[in-house]
PDB file of all heavy atoms in Angstrom:
ATOM      1  N   ALA A   1      56.518 -46.553 -33.327  1.00  0.00           N
ATOM      2  CA  ALA A   1      55.976 -45.407 -34.104  1.00  0.00           C
ATOM      3  C   ALA A   1      56.799 -45.139 -35.330  1.00  0.00           C
ATOM      4  O   ALA A   1      56.320 -44.840 -36.398  1.00  0.00           O
ATOM      5  CB  ALA A   1      55.963 -44.148 -33.194  1.00  0.00           C
ATOM      6  N   ALA A   2      58.143 -45.267 -35.139  1.00  0.00           N
ATOM      7  CA  ALA A   2      59.080 -45.051 -36.322  1.00  0.00           C
ATOM      8  C   ALA A   2      58.869 -46.132 -37.352  1.00  0.00           C
ATOM      9  O   ALA A   2      58.843 -45.874 -38.560  1.00  0.00           O
ATOM     10  CB  ALA A   2      60.507 -45.018 -35.857  1.00  0.00           C
ATOM     11  N   SER A   3      58.652 -47.366 -36.907  1.00  0.00           N
ATOM     12  CA  SER A   3      58.497 -48.498 -37.822  1.00  0.00           C
ATOM     13  C   SER A   3      57.138 -48.264 -38.581  1.00  0.00           C
ATOM     14  O   SER A   3      57.084 -48.534 -39.778  1.00  0.00           O
ATOM     15  CB  SER A   3      58.474 -49.746 -37.085  1.00  0.00           C
ATOM     16  OG  SER A   3      58.179 -50.896 -37.942  1.00  0.00           O
ATOM     17  N   SER A   4      56.113 -47.874 -37.890  1.00  0.00           N
ATOM     18  CA  SER A   4      54.803 -47.705 -38.456  1.00  0.00           C
ATOM     19  C   SER A   4      54.882 -46.554 -39.508  1.00  0.00           C
ATOM     20  O   SER A   4      54.230 -46.640 -40.567  1.00  0.00           O
ATOM     21  CB  SER A   4      53.813 -47.328 -37.368  1.00  0.00           C
ATOM     22  OG  SER A   4      52.583 -47.050 -37.915  1.00  0.00           O
ATOM     23  N   ALA A   5      55.564 -45.515 -39.205  1.00  0.00           N
ATOM     24  CA  ALA A   5      55.694 -44.394 -40.116  1.00  0.00           C
ATOM     25  C   ALA A   5      56.436 -44.832 -41.394  1.00  0.00           C
ATOM     26  O   ALA A   5      56.108 -44.409 -42.468  1.00  0.00           O
ATOM     27  CB  ALA A   5      56.452 -43.194 -39.436  1.00  0.00           C
ATOM     28  N   ALA A   6      57.430 -45.682 -41.159  1.00  0.00           N
ATOM     29  CA  ALA A   6      58.284 -46.096 -42.346  1.00  0.00           C
ATOM     30  C   ALA A   6      57.421 -47.056 -43.233  1.00  0.00           C
ATOM     31  O   ALA A   6      57.489 -47.055 -44.491  1.00  0.00           O
ATOM     32  CB  ALA A   6      59.521 -46.846 -41.868  1.00  0.00           C
ATOM     33  N   LYS A   7      56.547 -47.878 -42.636  1.00  0.00           N
ATOM     34  CA  LYS A   7      55.674 -48.739 -43.413  1.00  0.00           C
ATOM     35  C   LYS A   7      54.707 -47.927 -44.240  1.00  0.00           C
ATOM     36  O   LYS A   7      54.321 -48.389 -45.356  1.00  0.00           O
ATOM     37  CB  LYS A   7      54.918 -49.689 -42.446  1.00  0.00           C
ATOM     38  CG  LYS A   7      55.770 -50.810 -41.914  1.00  0.00           C
ATOM     39  CD  LYS A   7      54.963 -51.653 -41.032  1.00  0.00           C
ATOM     40  CE  LYS A   7      55.839 -52.715 -40.325  1.00  0.00           C
ATOM     41  NZ  LYS A   7      55.116 -53.516 -39.368  1.00  0.00           N
ATOM     42  N   GLY A   8      54.298 -46.873 -43.674  1.00  0.00           N
ATOM     43  CA  GLY A   8      53.366 -46.000 -44.468  1.00  0.00           C
ATOM     44  C   GLY A   8      53.807 -45.515 -45.766  1.00  0.00           C
ATOM     45  O   GLY A   8      53.105 -45.249 -46.703  1.00  0.00           O
ATOM     46  N   THR A   9      55.110 -45.392 -45.835  1.00  0.00           N
ATOM     47  CA  THR A   9      55.760 -44.855 -47.080  1.00  0.00           C
ATOM     48  C   THR A   9      55.801 -45.995 -48.170  1.00  0.00           C
ATOM     49  O   THR A   9      56.083 -45.694 -49.320  1.00  0.00           O
ATOM     50  CB  THR A   9      57.187 -44.240 -46.867  1.00  0.00           C
ATOM     51  OG1 THR A   9      57.997 -45.206 -46.338  1.00  0.00           O
ATOM     52  CG2 THR A   9      57.048 -43.070 -45.961  1.00  0.00           C
ATOM     53  N   THR A  10      55.773 -47.225 -47.771  1.00  0.00           N
ATOM     54  CA  THR A  10      55.950 -48.325 -48.701  1.00  0.00           C
ATOM     55  C   THR A  10      54.631 -48.935 -49.142  1.00  0.00           C
ATOM     56  O   THR A  10      54.548 -49.770 -50.007  1.00  0.00           O
ATOM     57  CB  THR A  10      56.788 -49.505 -48.132  1.00  0.00           C
ATOM     58  OG1 THR A  10      56.172 -50.011 -46.935  1.00  0.00           O
ATOM     59  CG2 THR A  10      58.216 -48.982 -47.810  1.00  0.00           C
ATOM     60  N   THR A  11      53.534 -48.493 -48.488  1.00  0.00           N
ATOM     61  CA  THR A  11      52.205 -48.960 -48.911  1.00  0.00           C
ATOM     62  C   THR A  11      51.744 -48.233 -50.155  1.00  0.00           C
ATOM     63  O   THR A  11      51.745 -47.028 -50.158  1.00  0.00           O
ATOM     64  CB  THR A  11      51.157 -48.781 -47.738  1.00  0.00           C
ATOM     65  OG1 THR A  11      51.688 -49.480 -46.572  1.00  0.00           O
ATOM     66  CG2 THR A  11      49.819 -49.339 -48.125  1.00  0.00           C
ATOM     67  N   VAL A  12      51.339 -49.010 -51.126  1.00  0.00           N
ATOM     68  CA  VAL A  12      50.829 -48.428 -52.369  1.00  0.00           C
ATOM     69  C   VAL A  12      49.399 -48.009 -52.234  1.00  0.00           C
ATOM     70  O   VAL A  12      48.598 -48.767 -51.665  1.00  0.00           O
ATOM     71  CB  VAL A  12      50.959 -49.450 -53.549  1.00  0.00           C
ATOM     72  CG1 VAL A  12      50.395 -48.830 -54.843  1.00  0.00           C
ATOM     73  CG2 VAL A  12      52.366 -49.825 -53.749  1.00  0.00           C
ATOM     74  N   ARG A  13      49.114 -46.802 -52.484  1.00  0.00           N
ATOM     75  CA  ARG A  13      47.715 -46.255 -52.373  1.00  0.00           C
ATOM     76  C   ARG A  13      47.290 -45.614 -53.697  1.00  0.00           C
ATOM     77  O   ARG A  13      48.088 -45.184 -54.438  1.00  0.00           O
ATOM     78  CB  ARG A  13      47.713 -45.209 -51.262  1.00  0.00           C
ATOM     79  CG  ARG A  13      48.114 -45.812 -49.928  1.00  0.00           C
ATOM     80  CD  ARG A  13      48.278 -44.712 -48.905  1.00  0.00           C
ATOM     81  NE  ARG A  13      49.036 -45.302 -47.735  1.00  0.00           N
ATOM     82  CZ  ARG A  13      48.671 -45.083 -46.536  1.00  0.00           C
ATOM     83  NH1 ARG A  13      47.655 -44.264 -46.253  1.00  0.00           N
ATOM     84  NH2 ARG A  13      49.317 -45.561 -45.559  1.00  0.00           N
ATOM     85  N   GLY A  14      45.961 -45.560 -53.846  1.00  0.00           N
ATOM     86  CA  GLY A  14      45.458 -44.896 -54.981  1.00  0.00           C
ATOM     87  C   GLY A  14      44.591 -45.771 -55.780  1.00  0.00           C
ATOM     88  O   GLY A  14      44.308 -46.928 -55.464  1.00  0.00           O
ATOM     89  N   ARG A  15      44.076 -45.309 -56.879  1.00  0.00           N
ATOM     90  CA  ARG A  15      43.170 -46.088 -57.780  1.00  0.00           C
ATOM     91  C   ARG A  15      43.982 -46.588 -58.950  1.00  0.00           C
ATOM     92  O   ARG A  15      44.783 -45.922 -59.559  1.00  0.00           O
ATOM     93  CB  ARG A  15      42.116 -45.118 -58.217  1.00  0.00           C
ATOM     94  CG  ARG A  15      41.084 -45.773 -59.179  1.00  0.00           C
ATOM     95  CD  ARG A  15      39.898 -44.955 -59.284  1.00  0.00           C
ATOM     96  NE  ARG A  15      39.213 -45.077 -57.976  1.00  0.00           N
ATOM     97  CZ  ARG A  15      38.064 -44.612 -57.740  1.00  0.00           C
ATOM     98  NH1 ARG A  15      37.328 -44.060 -58.682  1.00  0.00           N
ATOM     99  NH2 ARG A  15      37.491 -44.776 -56.583  1.00  0.00           N
ATOM    100  N   LEU A  16      43.692 -47.851 -59.321  1.00  0.00           N
ATOM    101  CA  LEU A  16      44.320 -48.514 -60.409  1.00  0.00           C
ATOM    102  C   LEU A  16      43.325 -48.717 -61.547  1.00  0.00           C
ATOM    103  O   LEU A  16      42.211 -49.249 -61.295  1.00  0.00           O
ATOM    104  CB  LEU A  16      44.913 -49.901 -59.988  1.00  0.00           C
ATOM    105  CG  LEU A  16      45.475 -50.781 -61.048  1.00  0.00           C
ATOM    106  CD1 LEU A  16      46.698 -50.167 -61.643  1.00  0.00           C
ATOM    107  CD2 LEU A  16      45.700 -52.181 -60.534  1.00  0.00           C
ATOM    108  N   ARG A  17      43.639 -48.147 -62.654  1.00  0.00           N
ATOM    109  CA  ARG A  17      42.760 -48.296 -63.833  1.00  0.00           C
ATOM    110  C   ARG A  17      43.461 -49.280 -64.783  1.00  0.00           C
ATOM    111  O   ARG A  17      44.601 -49.154 -65.119  1.00  0.00           O
ATOM    112  CB  ARG A  17      42.546 -46.979 -64.523  1.00  0.00           C
ATOM    113  CG  ARG A  17      41.768 -45.996 -63.744  1.00  0.00           C
ATOM    114  CD  ARG A  17      41.513 -44.695 -64.525  1.00  0.00           C
ATOM    115  NE  ARG A  17      40.949 -43.725 -63.628  1.00  0.00           N
ATOM    116  CZ  ARG A  17      39.637 -43.575 -63.583  1.00  0.00           C
ATOM    117  NH1 ARG A  17      38.782 -44.344 -64.246  1.00  0.00           N
ATOM    118  NH2 ARG A  17      39.154 -42.580 -62.753  1.00  0.00           N
ATOM    119  N   VAL A  18      42.666 -50.300 -65.176  1.00  0.00           N
ATOM    120  CA  VAL A  18      43.193 -51.320 -66.068  1.00  0.00           C
ATOM    121  C   VAL A  18      42.380 -51.369 -67.347  1.00  0.00           C
ATOM    122  O   VAL A  18      41.115 -51.481 -67.270  1.00  0.00           O
ATOM    123  CB  VAL A  18      43.107 -52.684 -65.358  1.00  0.00           C
ATOM    124  CG1 VAL A  18      43.654 -53.779 -66.236  1.00  0.00           C
ATOM    125  CG2 VAL A  18      43.896 -52.683 -64.017  1.00  0.00           C
ATOM    126  N   THR A  19      43.066 -51.321 -68.453  1.00  0.00           N
ATOM    127  CA  THR A  19      42.370 -51.502 -69.758  1.00  0.00           C
ATOM    128  C   THR A  19      42.734 -52.853 -70.245  1.00  0.00           C
ATOM    129  O   THR A  19      43.911 -53.231 -70.283  1.00  0.00           O
ATOM    130  CB  THR A  19      42.862 -50.434 -70.721  1.00  0.00           C
ATOM    131  OG1 THR A  19      42.702 -49.137 -70.180  1.00  0.00           O
ATOM    132  CG2 THR A  19      42.190 -50.588 -72.069  1.00  0.00           C
ATOM    133  N   VAL A  20      41.698 -53.724 -70.527  1.00  0.00           N
ATOM    134  CA  VAL A  20      41.899 -55.059 -70.828  1.00  0.00           C
ATOM    135  C   VAL A  20      41.153 -55.450 -72.075  1.00  0.00           C
ATOM    136  O   VAL A  20      40.088 -54.955 -72.400  1.00  0.00           O
ATOM    137  CB  VAL A  20      41.399 -56.008 -69.644  1.00  0.00           C
ATOM    138  CG1 VAL A  20      41.830 -57.424 -69.872  1.00  0.00           C
ATOM    139  CG2 VAL A  20      41.914 -55.482 -68.380  1.00  0.00           C
ATOM    140  N   ASP A  21      41.769 -56.321 -72.856  1.00  0.00           N
ATOM    141  CA  ASP A  21      41.095 -56.896 -74.035  1.00  0.00           C
ATOM    142  C   ASP A  21      39.741 -57.566 -73.576  1.00  0.00           C
ATOM    143  O   ASP A  21      39.671 -58.230 -72.573  1.00  0.00           O
ATOM    144  CB  ASP A  21      42.026 -57.979 -74.638  1.00  0.00           C
ATOM    145  CG  ASP A  21      41.384 -58.606 -75.882  1.00  0.00           C
ATOM    146  OD1 ASP A  21      41.473 -57.999 -76.956  1.00  0.00           O
ATOM    147  OD2 ASP A  21      40.820 -59.670 -75.712  1.00  0.00           O
ATOM    148  N   PRO A  22      38.641 -57.360 -74.337  1.00  0.00           N
ATOM    149  CA  PRO A  22      37.344 -57.863 -73.979  1.00  0.00           C
ATOM    150  C   PRO A  22      37.326 -59.358 -73.790  1.00  0.00           C
ATOM    151  O   PRO A  22      36.653 -59.855 -72.832  1.00  0.00           O
ATOM    152  CB  PRO A  22      36.456 -57.438 -75.101  1.00  0.00           C
ATOM    153  CG  PRO A  22      37.068 -56.313 -75.735  1.00  0.00           C
ATOM    154  CD  PRO A  22      38.549 -56.514 -75.554  1.00  0.00           C
ATOM    155  N   PHE A  23      38.023 -60.125 -74.590  1.00  0.00           N
ATOM    156  CA  PHE A  23      38.061 -61.579 -74.459  1.00  0.00           C
ATOM    157  C   PHE A  23      38.725 -61.948 -73.110  1.00  0.00           C
ATOM    158  O   PHE A  23      38.189 -62.813 -72.385  1.00  0.00           O
ATOM    159  CB  PHE A  23      38.876 -62.174 -75.645  1.00  0.00           C
ATOM    160  CG  PHE A  23      38.997 -63.656 -75.512  1.00  0.00           C
ATOM    161  CD1 PHE A  23      37.887 -64.473 -75.797  1.00  0.00           C
ATOM    162  CD2 PHE A  23      40.193 -64.241 -75.187  1.00  0.00           C
ATOM    163  CE1 PHE A  23      37.958 -65.818 -75.661  1.00  0.00           C
ATOM    164  CE2 PHE A  23      40.269 -65.623 -75.027  1.00  0.00           C
ATOM    165  CZ  PHE A  23      39.144 -66.515 -75.334  1.00  0.00           C
ATOM    166  N   PHE A  24      39.811 -61.317 -72.800  1.00  0.00           N
ATOM    167  CA  PHE A  24      40.512 -61.585 -71.493  1.00  0.00           C
ATOM    168  C   PHE A  24      39.579 -61.188 -70.307  1.00  0.00           C
ATOM    169  O   PHE A  24      39.530 -61.884 -69.320  1.00  0.00           O
ATOM    170  CB  PHE A  24      41.841 -60.885 -71.424  1.00  0.00           C
ATOM    171  CG  PHE A  24      42.619 -61.042 -70.153  1.00  0.00           C
ATOM    172  CD1 PHE A  24      43.313 -62.210 -69.906  1.00  0.00           C
ATOM    173  CD2 PHE A  24      42.561 -60.013 -69.195  1.00  0.00           C
ATOM    174  CE1 PHE A  24      43.973 -62.316 -68.692  1.00  0.00           C
ATOM    175  CE2 PHE A  24      43.211 -60.214 -67.973  1.00  0.00           C
ATOM    176  CZ  PHE A  24      43.948 -61.339 -67.758  1.00  0.00           C
ATOM    177  N   ARG A  25      38.976 -60.052 -70.462  1.00  0.00           N
ATOM    178  CA  ARG A  25      38.091 -59.534 -69.368  1.00  0.00           C
ATOM    179  C   ARG A  25      37.001 -60.503 -69.066  1.00  0.00           C
ATOM    180  O   ARG A  25      36.750 -60.811 -67.898  1.00  0.00           O
ATOM    181  CB  ARG A  25      37.508 -58.216 -69.807  1.00  0.00           C
ATOM    182  CG  ARG A  25      36.727 -57.594 -68.682  1.00  0.00           C
ATOM    183  CD  ARG A  25      36.094 -56.250 -69.078  1.00  0.00           C
ATOM    184  NE  ARG A  25      35.130 -56.421 -70.142  1.00  0.00           N
ATOM    185  CZ  ARG A  25      34.964 -55.604 -71.153  1.00  0.00           C
ATOM    186  NH1 ARG A  25      35.761 -54.512 -71.285  1.00  0.00           N
ATOM    187  NH2 ARG A  25      34.114 -55.838 -72.050  1.00  0.00           N
ATOM    188  N   VAL A  26      36.366 -61.090 -70.094  1.00  0.00           N
ATOM    189  CA  VAL A  26      35.238 -62.022 -69.821  1.00  0.00           C
ATOM    190  C   VAL A  26      35.812 -63.372 -69.400  1.00  0.00           C
ATOM    191  O   VAL A  26      35.315 -63.919 -68.422  1.00  0.00           O
ATOM    192  CB  VAL A  26      34.405 -62.179 -71.140  1.00  0.00           C
ATOM    193  CG1 VAL A  26      33.353 -63.301 -70.952  1.00  0.00           C
ATOM    194  CG2 VAL A  26      33.698 -60.904 -71.464  1.00  0.00           C
ATOM    195  N   GLY A  27      36.835 -63.880 -70.012  1.00  0.00           N
ATOM    196  CA  GLY A  27      37.346 -65.206 -69.772  1.00  0.00           C
ATOM    197  C   GLY A  27      38.103 -65.366 -68.422  1.00  0.00           C
ATOM    198  O   GLY A  27      37.903 -66.267 -67.681  1.00  0.00           O
ATOM    199  N   TYR A  28      38.945 -64.408 -68.190  1.00  0.00           N
ATOM    200  CA  TYR A  28      39.778 -64.540 -66.983  1.00  0.00           C
ATOM    201  C   TYR A  28      39.387 -63.569 -65.823  1.00  0.00           C
ATOM    202  O   TYR A  28      39.154 -63.973 -64.717  1.00  0.00           O
ATOM    203  CB  TYR A  28      41.227 -64.284 -67.307  1.00  0.00           C
ATOM    204  CG  TYR A  28      42.158 -64.373 -66.132  1.00  0.00           C
ATOM    205  CD1 TYR A  28      42.551 -65.606 -65.617  1.00  0.00           C
ATOM    206  CD2 TYR A  28      42.640 -63.206 -65.518  1.00  0.00           C
ATOM    207  CE1 TYR A  28      43.351 -65.700 -64.535  1.00  0.00           C
ATOM    208  CE2 TYR A  28      43.461 -63.264 -64.426  1.00  0.00           C
ATOM    209  CZ  TYR A  28      43.824 -64.567 -63.930  1.00  0.00           C
ATOM    210  OH  TYR A  28      44.596 -64.550 -62.824  1.00  0.00           O
ATOM    211  N   TRP A  29      39.262 -62.281 -66.161  1.00  0.00           N
ATOM    212  CA  TRP A  29      39.021 -61.306 -65.213  1.00  0.00           C
ATOM    213  C   TRP A  29      37.684 -61.522 -64.496  1.00  0.00           C
ATOM    214  O   TRP A  29      37.591 -61.329 -63.267  1.00  0.00           O
ATOM    215  CB  TRP A  29      39.076 -59.932 -65.875  1.00  0.00           C
ATOM    216  CG  TRP A  29      39.218 -58.794 -64.886  1.00  0.00           C
ATOM    217  CD1 TRP A  29      38.212 -57.941 -64.534  1.00  0.00           C
ATOM    218  CD2 TRP A  29      40.366 -58.494 -64.129  1.00  0.00           C
ATOM    219  NE1 TRP A  29      38.712 -57.060 -63.619  1.00  0.00           N
ATOM    220  CE2 TRP A  29      40.029 -57.339 -63.365  1.00  0.00           C
ATOM    221  CE3 TRP A  29      41.641 -58.937 -64.045  1.00  0.00           C
ATOM    222  CZ2 TRP A  29      40.940 -56.730 -62.500  1.00  0.00           C
ATOM    223  CZ3 TRP A  29      42.542 -58.390 -63.146  1.00  0.00           C
ATOM    224  CH2 TRP A  29      42.149 -57.245 -62.429  1.00  0.00           C
ATOM    225  N   GLY A  30      36.655 -61.843 -65.228  1.00  0.00           N
ATOM    226  CA  GLY A  30      35.344 -62.116 -64.642  1.00  0.00           C
ATOM    227  C   GLY A  30      35.334 -63.130 -63.581  1.00  0.00           C
ATOM    228  O   GLY A  30      34.733 -63.036 -62.507  1.00  0.00           O
ATOM    229  N   ARG A  31      36.108 -64.245 -63.811  1.00  0.00           N
ATOM    230  CA  ARG A  31      36.143 -65.353 -62.779  1.00  0.00           C
ATOM    231  C   ARG A  31      36.905 -64.963 -61.542  1.00  0.00           C
ATOM    232  O   ARG A  31      36.664 -65.426 -60.449  1.00  0.00           O
ATOM    233  CB  ARG A  31      36.833 -66.575 -63.392  1.00  0.00           C
ATOM    234  CG  ARG A  31      35.944 -67.237 -64.460  1.00  0.00           C
ATOM    235  CD  ARG A  31      36.620 -68.582 -64.830  1.00  0.00           C
ATOM    236  NE  ARG A  31      38.056 -68.541 -65.150  1.00  0.00           N
ATOM    237  CZ  ARG A  31      38.525 -68.503 -66.442  1.00  0.00           C
ATOM    238  NH1 ARG A  31      37.683 -68.615 -67.402  1.00  0.00           N
ATOM    239  NH2 ARG A  31      39.796 -68.404 -66.623  1.00  0.00           N
ATOM    240  N   ASN A  32      37.935 -64.117 -61.694  1.00  0.00           N
ATOM    241  CA  ASN A  32      38.799 -63.764 -60.581  1.00  0.00           C
ATOM    242  C   ASN A  32      38.477 -62.357 -59.947  1.00  0.00           C
ATOM    243  O   ASN A  32      39.186 -61.907 -59.023  1.00  0.00           O
ATOM    244  CB  ASN A  32      40.224 -63.746 -61.047  1.00  0.00           C
ATOM    245  CG  ASN A  32      40.590 -65.130 -61.435  1.00  0.00           C
ATOM    246  OD1 ASN A  32      40.517 -66.168 -60.653  1.00  0.00           O
ATOM    247  ND2 ASN A  32      40.981 -65.337 -62.727  1.00  0.00           N
ATOM    248  N   TRP A  33      37.529 -61.627 -60.435  1.00  0.00           N
ATOM    249  CA  TRP A  33      37.241 -60.317 -59.971  1.00  0.00           C
ATOM    250  C   TRP A  33      36.898 -60.268 -58.492  1.00  0.00           C
ATOM    251  O   TRP A  33      37.406 -59.460 -57.753  1.00  0.00           O
ATOM    252  CB  TRP A  33      36.162 -59.622 -60.774  1.00  0.00           C
ATOM    253  CG  TRP A  33      35.790 -58.267 -60.228  1.00  0.00           C
ATOM    254  CD1 TRP A  33      34.678 -57.940 -59.559  1.00  0.00           C
ATOM    255  CD2 TRP A  33      36.647 -57.130 -60.229  1.00  0.00           C
ATOM    256  NE1 TRP A  33      34.731 -56.608 -59.194  1.00  0.00           N
ATOM    257  CE2 TRP A  33      35.931 -56.101 -59.583  1.00  0.00           C
ATOM    258  CE3 TRP A  33      37.887 -56.819 -60.721  1.00  0.00           C
ATOM    259  CZ2 TRP A  33      36.463 -54.812 -59.391  1.00  0.00           C
ATOM    260  CZ3 TRP A  33      38.406 -55.587 -60.513  1.00  0.00           C
ATOM    261  CH2 TRP A  33      37.632 -54.557 -59.912  1.00  0.00           C
ATOM    262  N   ALA A  34      36.076 -61.215 -58.047  1.00  0.00           N
ATOM    263  CA  ALA A  34      35.668 -61.262 -56.634  1.00  0.00           C
ATOM    264  C   ALA A  34      36.881 -61.420 -55.717  1.00  0.00           C
ATOM    265  O   ALA A  34      37.012 -60.686 -54.659  1.00  0.00           O
ATOM    266  CB  ALA A  34      34.652 -62.297 -56.355  1.00  0.00           C
ATOM    267  N   ARG A  35      37.779 -62.268 -56.060  1.00  0.00           N
ATOM    268  CA  ARG A  35      38.959 -62.491 -55.233  1.00  0.00           C
ATOM    269  C   ARG A  35      39.891 -61.278 -55.264  1.00  0.00           C
ATOM    270  O   ARG A  35      40.399 -60.846 -54.248  1.00  0.00           O
ATOM    271  CB  ARG A  35      39.767 -63.717 -55.774  1.00  0.00           C
ATOM    272  CG  ARG A  35      40.919 -64.099 -54.869  1.00  0.00           C
ATOM    273  CD  ARG A  35      41.594 -65.391 -55.357  1.00  0.00           C
ATOM    274  NE  ARG A  35      41.935 -65.188 -56.756  1.00  0.00           N
ATOM    275  CZ  ARG A  35      42.375 -66.148 -57.519  1.00  0.00           C
ATOM    276  NH1 ARG A  35      42.586 -67.299 -57.054  1.00  0.00           N
ATOM    277  NH2 ARG A  35      42.716 -65.936 -58.800  1.00  0.00           N
ATOM    278  N   PHE A  36      40.034 -60.687 -56.429  1.00  0.00           N
ATOM    279  CA  PHE A  36      40.833 -59.482 -56.506  1.00  0.00           C
ATOM    280  C   PHE A  36      40.309 -58.318 -55.673  1.00  0.00           C
ATOM    281  O   PHE A  36      41.032 -57.731 -54.942  1.00  0.00           O
ATOM    282  CB  PHE A  36      40.984 -59.011 -57.978  1.00  0.00           C
ATOM    283  CG  PHE A  36      41.764 -57.816 -58.129  1.00  0.00           C
ATOM    284  CD1 PHE A  36      43.153 -57.859 -58.209  1.00  0.00           C
ATOM    285  CD2 PHE A  36      41.151 -56.614 -58.299  1.00  0.00           C
ATOM    286  CE1 PHE A  36      43.930 -56.685 -58.353  1.00  0.00           C
ATOM    287  CE2 PHE A  36      41.879 -55.432 -58.459  1.00  0.00           C
ATOM    288  CZ  PHE A  36      43.294 -55.458 -58.527  1.00  0.00           C
ATOM    289  N   SER A  37      39.002 -58.076 -55.819  1.00  0.00           N
ATOM    290  CA  SER A  37      38.428 -56.941 -55.058  1.00  0.00           C
ATOM    291  C   SER A  37      38.399 -57.219 -53.576  1.00  0.00           C
ATOM    292  O   SER A  37      38.413 -56.262 -52.802  1.00  0.00           O
ATOM    293  CB  SER A  37      37.032 -56.667 -55.644  1.00  0.00           C
ATOM    294  OG  SER A  37      36.182 -57.773 -55.411  1.00  0.00           O
ATOM    295  N   LYS A  38      38.343 -58.516 -53.147  1.00  0.00           N
ATOM    296  CA  LYS A  38      38.458 -58.827 -51.751  1.00  0.00           C
ATOM    297  C   LYS A  38      39.850 -58.479 -51.227  1.00  0.00           C
ATOM    298  O   LYS A  38      40.007 -57.917 -50.106  1.00  0.00           O
ATOM    299  CB  LYS A  38      38.118 -60.285 -51.502  1.00  0.00           C
ATOM    300  CG  LYS A  38      38.118 -60.722 -50.117  1.00  0.00           C
ATOM    301  CD  LYS A  38      37.810 -62.229 -49.966  1.00  0.00           C
ATOM    302  CE  LYS A  38      38.068 -62.729 -48.561  1.00  0.00           C
ATOM    303  NZ  LYS A  38      37.845 -64.111 -48.477  1.00  0.00           N
ATOM    304  N   ASN A  39      40.860 -58.805 -51.950  1.00  0.00           N
ATOM    305  CA  ASN A  39      42.275 -58.583 -51.520  1.00  0.00           C
ATOM    306  C   ASN A  39      42.649 -57.124 -51.641  1.00  0.00           C
ATOM    307  O   ASN A  39      43.540 -56.638 -50.928  1.00  0.00           O
ATOM    308  CB  ASN A  39      43.254 -59.433 -52.342  1.00  0.00           C
ATOM    309  CG  ASN A  39      43.157 -60.939 -52.023  1.00  0.00           C
ATOM    310  OD1 ASN A  39      42.740 -61.268 -50.892  1.00  0.00           O
ATOM    311  ND2 ASN A  39      43.437 -61.750 -52.946  1.00  0.00           N
ATOM    312  N   PHE A  40      42.043 -56.412 -52.571  1.00  0.00           N
ATOM    313  CA  PHE A  40      42.423 -54.987 -52.796  1.00  0.00           C
ATOM    314  C   PHE A  40      41.129 -54.094 -52.868  1.00  0.00           C
ATOM    315  O   PHE A  40      40.730 -53.685 -53.911  1.00  0.00           O
ATOM    316  CB  PHE A  40      43.218 -54.838 -54.078  1.00  0.00           C
ATOM    317  CG  PHE A  40      44.475 -55.657 -54.140  1.00  0.00           C
ATOM    318  CD1 PHE A  40      44.444 -56.895 -54.843  1.00  0.00           C
ATOM    319  CD2 PHE A  40      45.583 -55.342 -53.446  1.00  0.00           C
ATOM    320  CE1 PHE A  40      45.627 -57.674 -54.864  1.00  0.00           C
ATOM    321  CE2 PHE A  40      46.697 -56.038 -53.514  1.00  0.00           C
ATOM    322  CZ  PHE A  40      46.741 -57.247 -54.147  1.00  0.00           C
ATOM    323  N   PRO A  41      40.525 -53.846 -51.725  1.00  0.00           N
ATOM    324  CA  PRO A  41      39.295 -53.031 -51.649  1.00  0.00           C
ATOM    325  C   PRO A  41      39.653 -51.569 -52.040  1.00  0.00           C
ATOM    326  O   PRO A  41      40.809 -51.178 -51.973  1.00  0.00           O
ATOM    327  CB  PRO A  41      38.819 -53.184 -50.264  1.00  0.00           C
ATOM    328  CG  PRO A  41      40.049 -53.543 -49.505  1.00  0.00           C
ATOM    329  CD  PRO A  41      40.970 -54.309 -50.374  1.00  0.00           C
ATOM    330  N   ASN A  42      38.655 -50.806 -52.309  1.00  0.00           N
ATOM    331  CA  ASN A  42      38.833 -49.438 -52.626  1.00  0.00           C
ATOM    332  C   ASN A  42      39.577 -48.755 -51.546  1.00  0.00           C
ATOM    333  O   ASN A  42      39.990 -48.018 -51.060  1.00  0.00           O
ATOM    334  CB  ASN A  42      37.450 -48.706 -52.810  1.00  0.00           C
ATOM    335  CG  ASN A  42      36.901 -49.129 -54.168  1.00  0.00           C
ATOM    336  OD1 ASN A  42      37.577 -49.581 -55.024  1.00  0.00           O
ATOM    337  ND2 ASN A  42      35.585 -48.905 -54.274  1.00  0.00           N
TER     338      ASN A  42
END
C-alpha cells in the first residue's frame, strides 16, 4: 500500500497540448500518432 501510494505521486497525469509546425505535423506526427495515442491514452 505504501509503495502504491508513492508510485501515484510520480505518475504524470493531465492533458498535454502540443503546438507543432504544420510540415512536421504532416510528415512525422501523422505517421506516429497511432503509436503515441496507444501508449498514452486520454
